[in-house]
Amino acid sequence: MERRRLLKIYMASGSRYSLLCLLCLMLFSCGAEKHLKKAEKYMAIGEYFDAASEYKRAYSMTPAKERDKRGQIALKMARCNEKINATSKAISAYRNAIRFEQASPEDRLAYGRQLLRNGDYKTAATEFQIVLDSLPGNLLASNGLYSAQHAAEWKKAGSRYTVKRQDIFNSRRADYSPMLFGDQFDQLYFSSTRNEANGDELSGITGTKAADIFVSQKDDKGKWSKPEAVSGGINTPYDEGACSISPDGRTMYLTQCVTDPSYPRYAQVVTSSRSDAAWGKVTPLAITKDTLSTYAHPAVSPDGEWLYFVSDMPDGIGGLDIWRVRLTTSGLGGVENLGEPINTPGNEMFPVFRPNGDFYFSSDGHPGFGGLDIFIAHPTPDGKGYSIERPGYPLNSQGDDFGMTFEGPYNRGYFSSNRGDSRGWDHIYSFENPEIVQAVKGWVYEQDGYELQESVVYIIGNDGTNEKVGVKGDGSFTYVVKPDVDYLFLATCKGFLNHKEELQVRPVSESEEYTLQFPLPAINVPVLIENIFYDFDKATLRPESTAALDELVKMLTENPNVTIELSSHCDYKGSEEYNKRLSQRRAEAVTDYLFANGIAEDRVTAVGYGKEKPKVVRKKLTEKFPWLHEDDVLTEDFIKALDDPDKQEACNQLNRRTEFSVLRTTYGLLDEEGKLKQMPSQKSDQKPQVPDFDEYEFLIEDE
């Protein structure tokens, strides 16, 4: 009896247990569906981090016996983790999808590519071979297999690059896409999702804060400051990243990804203008009318004529391609796909130019170590295509390597990589390749004044070089020269005379930088001729005046269409008649030297002003004499009113000067009737000649 009663109790308990299990399964199933719906919603709008989390919950709540469904969820989870660079999680999820027989050949290709970036080259090779058995001729699988088979030997071979992590720029989050800026490359802009970024919410795309643009400054001792968010209107609660600045330093192009809770995330290129050393609010750049494609990673060509960018627009080769659009004064031109061999069915991203014109980009479609590798595209000799160079290890790794920036003409600078980071976050590294670079650093400035930011430098070489370059904000320019080439540099600026320098470049065993100075005399104001010395109370030129006089001869020779007034001035001491007579004799002593050295007599007029024209102070002079002010006139009354005898003597010295003023810039260009002479035409096969070049520049000036 007791046994039967216990059996009934047991059977009743079993029924209740089964019912409880059934109820749990129903609850789990409802919970799985709930998380699955959330995941699908997040994935549809590109919030891959949140989607991956919801897929994981849905997967864990799906009964093991529902193999197909678990496999499908695992596959979606793998794709989301792949998007956020969670490589280990993506690999695990792909394995489950394969185990549950829910992975297509394309999915196994993605799995192999994740194995490649994880450094598991042996397993990756097996997967790529499986894919090729199903999809013969698939380029990504072929390149992946080739990479898996050769990555180890590539790494062993190494390269001349040295790489070092730069923790001064890095945080506990992602820091990427560095860009050097400034006349001395003393500012480093980069994107970061660190805690100091704008906003309080975490991104559903990455699981971190939305990225902002940060900047670090280098001091006179070469030490970088702690990065700070860029002030002005660039940074917003949205994602900002991958910036590029135009050659003139006035416009920043960057990527922005806005947030919309019901709309997919499409990255766009925006611009910001620089005013008073601050960046303004961004403005969207409408590259095309297509609003359903991504536009990102802008890069301006060194000549400022093209904007390169990344997009998944239709008619591309596959994945993300690199495109370009012409920048004109009237707006943007038509877009062009760079085509093969740069673009592949994979992703080509983060285009960047070295100042010498070399084109760098990152790709996961070309054979490499895994993830995004950096490549260099060199134009072919016929100018119709490119050859692709792999820089090698350690610049490239099995992770993502991208976003290079260069320190002037030298093959050194910074880039970003997520190598060795288990969370897939990017960090900034320095790189250097010790190649021999010969470069000219030139400075164009107003003689007796400041830098000339609007000047242009024409460069002619006996190897056929014929180029022009602009200058930076400090009036400087940098130009890489070639050994065994003779160069002529002609600096020009509207309102100023030209200045020419010549340089013979010979081979060297290590990098060398040649410094050239281009002081341009102004046309509309008197120009001081420094270091002209006379014997006391005489008009005899002293020997130490020769260097300055020879520079004056050179200037007149380089500017053959100019006539000048050569004037000499005295201080207020002595009689007016005596000072005027002495200054006239001194002016004539200088002109005699010019005539004796080949300058035509009708190009120079000597005038001695005595003390009639006291010096007018220009702004540059106030830096040397802070107690003077711009536009002060150093008259006798002004000088005597000064309370310090040393200041009075300094003013007298400033008044004792030799100057020249430009009278005409059309000497030799007009006929007897005052009409412009016919300029000789230059045959297309002739190299530009400097005299014709100078005359042409002055014709522009006169117009």
Side-chain angles (χ1 to χ4, degrees):
M1 178 66 68
E2 184 65 23
R3 287 182 180 180
R4 286 199 297 270
R5 186 174 69 83
L6 291 174
L7 184 59
K8 288 180 180 178
I9 295 173
Y10 174 79
M11 291 176 66
S13 299
S15 298
R16 288 195 296 270
Y17 177 77
S18 298
L19 181 61
L20 182 62
C21 289
L22 181 61
L23 289 172
C24 289
L25 287 173
M26 291 175 64
L27 289 172
F28 263 66
S29 179
C30 291
E33 288 300 323
K34 178 181 177 181
H35 289 295
L36 199 56
K37 288 181 179 179
K38 284 186 177 180
E40 299 287 355
K41 180 181 177 181
Y42 287 136
M43 190 173 185
I45 60 175
E47 294 190 347
Y48 301 112
F49 179 84
D50 287 346
S53 298
E54 294 298 329
Y55 279 129
K56 183 178 180 180
R57 293 187 180 97
Y59 180 86
S60 64
M61 290 183 173
T62 302
K65 64 181 181 180
E66 297 185 29
R67 294 175 57 84
D68 289 354
K69 188 172 183 180
R70 283 172 69 90
Q72 292 164 6
I73 296 173
L75 188 59
K76 294 177 179 179
M77 181 166 46
R79 291 168 180 167
C80 289
N81 283 315
E82 181 179 349
K83 291 285 188 180
I84 61 175
N85 287 335
T87 304
S88 297
K89 293 180 180 179
I91 289 173
S92 178
Y94 273 124
R95 282 175 178 163
N96 284 331
I98 294 170
R99 180 163 61 93
F100 292 129
E101 299 180 348
Q102 295 300 309
S104 66
E106 288 78 8
D107 297 323
R108 300 199 72 149
L109 172 61
Y111 172 51
R113 284 157 65 82
Q114 290 296 298
L115 291 169
L116 199 65
R117 69 183 298 145
N118 204 43
D120 189 353
Y121 296 129
K122 183 177 180 181
T123 309
T126 300
E127 285 300 318
F128 289 130
Q129 189 59 64
I130 292 172
V131 173
L132 286 171
D133 290 342
S134 300
L135 303 173
N138 183 285
L139 182 61
L140 292 181
S142 298
N143 286 349
L145 179 60
Y146 186 81
S147 299
Q149 293 171 337
H150 294 86
E153 64 183 73
W154 291 339
K155 183 174 182 179
K156 185 178 180 180
S159 70
R160 289 171 55 85
Y161 283 93
T162 56
V163 168
K164 184 178 180 181
R165 179 164 161 159
Q166 297 295 312
D167 286 332
I168 183 63
F169 308 124
N170 294 318
S171 66
R172 293 185 175 183
R173 297 296 185 267
D175 305 284
Y176 58 96
S177 291
M179 190 203 61
L180 285 166
F181 180 64
D183 297 326
Q184 305 301 319
F185 306 102
D186 53 1
Q187 301 171 47
L188 187 77
Y189 288 83
F190 62 94
S191 300
S192 178
T193 61
R194 64 187 61 201
N195 292 334
E196 292 82 3
N198 274 325
D200 299 320
E201 296 183 2
L202 298 183
S203 169
I205 304 173
T206 61
T208 65
K209 296 186 74 172
D212 276 350
I213 306 294
F214 285 75
V215 64
S216 176
Q217 305 267 352
K218 185 165 61 174
D219 61 22
D220 294 338
K221 297 181 180 179
K223 183 179 180 181
W224 290 99
S225 66
K226 180 181 177 181
E228 296 181 354
V230 175
S231 60
I234 286 182
N235 291 322
T236 70
Y238 305 134
D239 269 300
E240 284 87 28
C243 61
S244 174
I245 298 179
S246 59
D248 62 11
R250 298 173 182 173
T251 305
M252 177 186 289
Y253 298 82
L254 64 152
T255 307
Q256 186 183 70
C257 189
V258 299
T259 299
D260 188 321
S262 60
Y263 199 75
R265 270 59 167 167
Y266 292 111
Q268 61 180 347
V269 174
V270 297
T271 65
S272 172
S273 298
R274 186 177 179 88
S275 177
D276 297 327
W279 294 103
K281 291 184 178 180
V282 299
T283 302
L285 184 68
I287 296 177
T288 73
K289 295 181 180 180
D290 178 1
T291 60
L292 298 178
S293 297
T294 288
Y295 302 89
H297 309 165
V300 186
S301 60
D303 58 12
E305 294 184 0
W306 293 93
L307 178 69
Y308 288 69
F309 63 96
V310 170
S311 181
D312 57 358
M313 287 188 295
D315 300 324
I317 294 179
L320 291 168
D321 280 1
I322 298 176
W323 303 66
R324 71 175 185 173
V325 61
R326 186 178 291 278
L327 299 172
T328 71
T329 55
S330 58
L332 300 179
V335 298
E336 301 177 7
N337 188 293
L338 295 195
E340 298 175 340
I342 291 177
N343 290 320
T344 71
N347 297 302
E348 280 66 50
M349 309 164 72
F350 299 98
V352 67
F353 283 91
R354 189 173 168 186
N356 66 1
D358 287 349
F359 182 64
Y360 289 68
F361 66 98
S362 292
S363 170
D364 62 9
H366 290 279
F369 290 95
L372 290 171
D373 274 15
I374 294 170
F375 295 89
I376 311 172
H378 299 288
T380 55
D382 60 9
K384 297 181 179 180
Y386 298 91
S387 62
I388 306 300
E389 176 189 350
R390 184 189 308 108
Y393 179 85
L395 185 65
N396 285 320
S397 68
Q398 64 194 43
D400 289 330
D401 306 295
F402 61 97
M404 300 184 77
T405 184
F406 295 86
E407 186 182 331
Y410 304 101
N411 201 351
R412 61 175 181 253
Y414 301 92
F415 74 109
S416 43
S417 176
N418 64 2
R419 62 185 67 188
D421 192 295
S422 59
R423 297 159 297 185
W425 288 343
D426 307 304
H427 303 289
I428 294 175
Y429 291 76
S430 64
F431 73 90
E432 182 171 8
N433 186 335
E435 62 187 25
I436 296 176
V437 176
Q438 292 173 269
V440 167
K441 184 64 175 289
W443 305 86
V444 187
Y445 53 93
E446 179 184 359
Q447 190 169 323
D448 195 30
Y450 292 98
E451 61 274 358
L452 295 172
Q453 301 179 7
E454 303 299 323
S455 51
V456 174
V457 180
Y458 293 85
I459 304 169
I460 298 173
N462 62 0
D463 65 337
T465 297
N466 188 351
E467 300 182 36
K468 67 176 181 179
V469 298
V471 300
K472 299 177 183 177
D474 63 349
S476 72
F477 70 93
T478 302
Y479 183 80
V480 175
V481 293
K482 304 172 186 176
D484 294 319
V485 177
D486 297 341
Y487 289 93
L488 181 148
F489 296 82
L490 183 72
T492 68
C493 187
K494 186 175 182 180
F496 296 84
L497 302 184
N498 295 344
H499 183 92
K500 180 178 69 176
E501 291 289 338
E502 297 181 6
L503 179 68
Q504 293 181 328
V505 182
R506 298 296 174 256
V508 295
S509 57
E510 58 185 34
S511 294
E512 186 169 357
E513 186 174 84
Y514 309 94
T515 301
L516 298 179
Q517 303 285 343
F518 297 85
L520 304 190
I523 290 176
N524 57 355
V525 296
V527 179
L528 176 68
I529 308 173
E530 296 187 283
N531 300 320
I532 298 292
F533 305 100
Y534 306 92
D535 287 338
F536 178 71
D537 204 27
K538 295 181 181 179
T540 306
L541 287 165
R542 296 182 61 82
E544 52 266 39
S545 303
T546 301
L549 292 169
D550 288 343
E551 283 297 314
L552 185 57
V553 171
K554 179 183 176 185
M555 184 276 294
L556 290 169
T557 303
E558 293 172 358
N559 296 273
N561 309 115
V562 167
T563 64
I564 66 170
E565 176 187 276
L566 196 292
S567 60
S568 182
H569 305 264
C570 298
D571 57 32
Y572 65 82
K573 299 175 183 178
S575 69
E576 182 175 346
E577 182 181 353
Y578 173 81
N579 281 339
K580 193 162 187 177
R581 191 166 56 248
L582 177 61
S583 62
Q584 180 67 35
R585 288 164 47 216
R586 286 181 169 179
E588 291 173 355
V590 174
T591 57
D592 288 343
Y593 186 93
L594 300 179
F595 302 154
N597 283 272
I599 304 301
E601 294 188 14
D602 58 348
R603 291 184 61 197
V604 185
T605 302
V607 180
Y609 284 102
K611 59 181 181 180
E612 290 179 12
K613 290 189 174 184
K615 186 171 182 64
V616 178
V617 175
R618 301 188 66 195
K619 186 177 180 180
K620 182 71 173 178
L621 196 59
T622 64
E623 295 180 3
K624 184 177 181 180
F625 302 103
W627 40 272
L628 290 176
H629 301 89
E630 188 176 7
D631 296 327
D632 282 346
V633 182
L634 305 186
T635 62
E636 181 176 354
D637 291 340
F638 178 92
I639 296 174
K640 288 182 175 179
L642 296 172
D643 56 1
D644 186 341
D646 291 337
K647 293 180 180 179
Q648 294 179 352
E649 178 54 29
C651 288
N652 284 325
Q653 288 181 358
L654 291 173
N655 273 332
R656 297 192 292 267
R657 67 198 190 277
T658 301
E659 296 176 333
F660 73 85
S661 301
V662 175
L663 300 177
R664 293 169 53 206
T665 60
T666 57
Y667 177 82
L669 297 180
L670 304 179
D671 59 22
E672 295 178 356
E673 298 179 359
K675 296 181 180 180
L676 187 66
K677 292 180 180 179
Q678 182 68 34
M679 295 294 294
S681 60
Q682 183 170 302
K683 296 180 180 179
S684 59
D685 59 347
Q686 290 179 330
K687 293 183 180 179
Q689 299 297 315
V690 176
D692 292 341
F693 202 27
D694 289 340
E695 290 175 4
Y696 180 68
E697 287 305 307
F698 283 116
L699 282 175
I700 293 176
E701 177 57 45
D702 290 337
E703 291 173 355

